[in-house]
Structure formats: structure tokens, C-alpha cells
Amino acid sequence: MRLPATDHTSRPWRIHEIAGDFRLEDLWALPTPGGPDDLHHLVQQMADGKDGPDGGNPVGRFLFAVRWKLGALLGWDKPDSGVGGRVATLRDRLPDDLREGPRGPDLSTAPFTSVFQTHNEWAAEYANKTMHGVMHIGWVPDGNGGYRGQMAVLVKPNGRLGSLYMLGIKPFRYLGVYPALLRSIGREWRENTARRTACDPRGLVPGNGQTSDGKDLRSGDSSAGGEHS
């Protein structure tokens, strides 16, 4: 589900401190129900990227293949146009506490490098000749007693070329990329959650402090119900 911009801009995310010159391009709720401490599971899932950025969808795979082919022909993705080349990494802007904290994993199936990771926030960046982009994953209350992820895409277009590029790919993102990606994230999350729960001898729902039958082990209350992943 696409979210209003205020669901990102109104939260006290640390990314605001270092990406004030980027604009919010997209914001999506992720189908990843869990407990308050589960962001690291989502980060690792996205870094491992079983299906990749195309979500394992043939249409998305075709669109990405076309994009990489155009990039090769037009020189959009040359190393000197990326992070550390045309643009400096956002890690250079980090305050001391974030620079000294966990950096987070890079993505294995997409050219994103991690910037920082906290208990409820992770950011990774990518740049080419057209733009400098950030994928920001926040972990937020879902309004029903649980938590879920939300994904913000922040961009800084490189002049007129970048603005035209972002405008040109917009229909493809909404029609072919995001729907498949969100389905893939949800599917992997359910599979991984079931695997983690099965491996825990007490049947814990990861990060929720509850057993699979609703018993709350944090309070010692054997009758408490709660959210399930």
C-alpha cells in the first residue's frame, strides 16, 4: 500500500539529518508484520535478496533488463558516476554516533551500499549518472499492537537528465516494479518468519516476546494474547 508523504516526513528519522537535499519519491507500507525488535530480520532479508529488485516477476525482470541495457549504451552506470565517484557517500555526512554504530549490510542483488542501521531504521544508497538515490526502511507501529516495515525512496536527480529520467520511469515503477517487489517481500517475510518460529523450541514469534499460542514470556503471563507474525 502506498502511504502519504507525512508518514515519512513527520517521523523523527535519523535520515532527515543527512538527506535534507533529497526529495521523497515514493513511500510504501511493507507486508512484514512483526514485533518491536524485528527490523534486523527485514534488513537481512532485503540484503540477501532471493528474488532481487524485480521481485522475481517476469515483467519486472524484463523492465530491469531493458534499464541495464540502456544504462550500458548511454554510460549511465559507469563506476565514476556512482557513489564515491560523481557523488560522495552519505556516510560522510553521518554524525559521530551513527558513523560509529552499525553500518548494515550491502545488497547482494542490487548496487546499493549501506549507510547506517539503528534499531528501527536502515538506509542504503545508490548513484549513477542520472541520480543519487536512497532506500530507507523504517520499522513502525502498525496501529494494531504490532509493527511493520515501511520503505521510502529518496532521490536527488542529476540536473535535467535526472529529472527526465525519473519522470520517464515512473509508470514502469508503479505498474511493473513495485507490485512485484512488495509481493516478493511479503512472501519471503512469511517464509522466513515461519522458519524462525519453527526453529525456536518455545515457538517464539520473533521479536514479539510471545509464544505461537499467545503466551507472553516477557511478563510471565501465560494467558496474554497478542499480535502474531
Side-chain angles (χ1 to χ4, degrees):
M1 178 178 67
R2 195 178 181 197
L3 298 172
T6 52
D7 277 18
H8 176 79
T9 58
S10 66
R11 296 183 185 276
W13 298 125
R14 302 299 303 274
I15 191 66
H16 298 323
E17 301 174 32
I18 64 169
D21 51 341
F22 286 65
R23 74 169 188 241
L24 178 62
E25 187 75 10
D26 293 305
L27 183 65
W28 298 88
L30 300 180
T32 56
D37 305 318
D38 283 350
L39 173 68
H40 68 104
H41 292 307
L42 178 57
V43 170
Q44 195 58 56
Q45 172 182 308
M46 298 193 73
D48 291 343
K50 183 174 71 173
D51 285 336
D54 56 38
N57 178 269
V59 175
R61 190 176 300 118
F62 171 75
L63 292 174
F64 270 97
V66 171
R67 163 59 186 87
W68 298 130
K69 185 65 174 178
L70 283 174
L73 290 173
L74 300 175
W76 289 346
D77 304 310
K78 292 180 178 179
D80 61 359
S81 67
V83 174
R86 185 181 67 80
V87 298
T89 174
L90 289 177
R91 284 191 59 80
D92 292 345
R93 305 184 184 185
L94 292 179
D96 290 343
D97 65 318
L98 290 180
R99 185 179 296 110
E100 295 167 2
R103 177 174 170 268
D106 296 336
L107 272 67
S108 62
T109 58
F112 279 83
T113 56
S114 192
V115 179
F116 71 88
Q117 183 176 342
T118 68
H119 178 259
N120 65 346
E121 192 174 353
W122 174 57
E125 64 181 336
Y126 164 69
N128 59 27
K129 192 175 181 179
T130 67
M131 48 80 76
H132 187 182
V134 176
M135 178 176 63
H136 177 268
I137 303 295
W139 195 248
V140 299
D142 63 9
N144 297 307
Y147 288 75
R148 60 160 173 78
Q150 68 178 35
M151 179 177 67
V153 178
L154 311 173
V155 298
K156 185 177 181 181
N158 184 20
R160 180 174 295 181
L161 170 65
S163 297
L164 290 174
Y165 170 77
M166 294 305 301
L167 182 63
I169 67 172
K170 190 171 185 176
F172 301 102
R173 295 202 315 270
Y174 290 119
L175 295 175
V177 176
Y178 283 129
L181 179 61
L182 295 179
R183 287 194 298 270
S184 171
I185 289 172
R187 181 175 62 252
E188 286 191 51
W189 181 261
R190 291 190 297 272
E191 292 172 355
N192 292 338
T193 298
R195 188 177 303 113
R196 290 192 298 269
T197 304
C199 289
D200 191 312
R202 298 173 296 172
L204 281 176
V205 176
N208 229 14
Q210 296 174 342
T211 63
S212 58
D213 59 1
K215 297 177 182 179
D216 194 330
L217 298 185
R218 294 167 298 183
S219 64
D221 183 354
S222 63
S223 62
E227 292 291 320
H228 294 261
S229 298

